Amino acid sequence: MGDDRRVARTLLARQGSTYAEDAGITLADRPGPLYQLLVLTTLLSTRIRAQVAVAAARELFAAGWRTPQAMEASGWQDRVDALGRGHYRRYDERTATMLGTGARLCLDRWHGDLRRMHRESGGEPAALRRRLTEFPGIGPTGADIFLREVQTVWPDVRPYADRRTLAGARRLGLPADPHGLAGLVAAPDFGRLASALVRVALGEESAGEVTRTAAAAR
């Protein structure tokens, strides 16, 4: 257990930010940041590199579209152009449409406040996953992304570890189950650990480098 904790600490020191933080989202249990996470989730749900999706999200937010009201009011071509500035070109037109439709659904179904979805689901991950997949472009993998990130501000979702998180854990020889991983870090840090493990699974971080650095710190 001591070695596992050392590996987890080393990984957090190397890859300590969530994807939401990389996208410039100061995540909080408030309507604006939660909607921004939904936008990022939509972008991450396509077959495109995570850093491209993050860059595209930053462009959308820089344009001022940080609420469902602002996103819906934006022009379709303006959304396409913003996605292009983030080099999100392969799926730009379809995604621009989904962002507009998703904003309308967020307003109609949840009055622009995803905390309502959280309350209606009773904080149950399975119920949240079903409701998240109602948004265009968000399937089971996208729902996992949202829940993995949102657990930093929705503690009742924690510990949430999707298949990519667990794949990263296996590469590092860490427990491949949510509760085993949760025992390695303080509760508020678990969301950051989950994101860091995804980076290992995707090859954004070297499992070998992490384990060697952890071993040298003994």
Side-chain angles (χ1 to χ4, degrees):
M1 180 64 78
D3 287 346
D4 287 351
R5 288 193 175 119
R6 189 176 299 110
V7 170
R9 286 197 303 269
T10 300
L11 179 59
L12 285 177
R14 293 170 63 93
Q15 298 286 348
S17 63
T18 64
Y19 286 101
E21 289 170 335
D22 288 352
I25 302 169
T26 303
L27 198 57
D29 191 23
R30 299 197 307 273
L34 292 172
Y35 173 70
Q36 291 156 33
L37 178 58
L38 185 73
V39 169
L40 176 62
T41 298
T42 303
L43 299 177
L44 285 168
S45 294
T46 59
R47 295 179 180 273
I48 204 159
R49 287 191 301 112
Q51 292 311 311
V52 172
V54 165
R58 294 184 75 95
E59 290 292 340
L60 292 168
F61 301 148
W65 307 325
R66 291 179 169 268
T67 66
Q69 294 89 344
M71 186 67 77
E72 188 189 35
S74 66
W76 177 84
Q77 186 61 54
D78 291 333
R79 295 195 294 272
V80 170
D81 292 344
L83 292 168
R85 290 194 297 274
H87 303 288
Y88 196 97
R89 296 194 177 93
R90 186 175 175 188
Y91 303 100
D92 52 356
E93 295 187 355
R94 182 167 65 94
T95 301
T97 298
M98 290 192 301
L99 289 170
T101 305
R104 183 70 260 164
L105 176 61
C106 185
L107 291 166
D108 288 345
R109 182 77 169 84
W110 307 110
H111 304 283
D113 186 352
L114 294 177
R115 294 177 301 182
R116 291 172 178 261
M117 180 182 70
H118 185 207
R119 288 194 295 270
E120 188 172 302
S121 302
E124 289 292 330
L128 284 163
R129 287 179 94 251
R130 287 194 299 273
R131 289 174 171 86
L132 285 163
T133 56
E134 294 174 8
F135 286 96
I138 297 180
T141 297
D144 283 339
I145 293 168
F146 185 94
L147 293 172
R148 188 181 71 221
E149 295 274 323
V150 84
Q151 66 184 319
T152 60
V153 295
W154 286 353
D156 50 1
V157 174
R158 206 163 52 221
Y160 194 87
D162 64 337
R163 62 181 180 84
R164 282 183 175 164
T165 298
L166 299 180
R170 282 190 287 270
R171 286 196 182 185
L172 288 169
L174 297 178
D177 72 273
H179 292 283
L181 288 172
L184 304 180
V185 295
D189 288 333
F190 186 78
R192 294 170 55 234
L193 178 64
S195 289
L197 289 169
V198 169
R199 296 177 197 275
V200 173
L202 295 177
E204 297 175 8
E205 174 60 275
S206 165
E209 286 294 324
V210 173
T211 52
R212 283 191 292 272
T213 302
R218 286 180 181 175

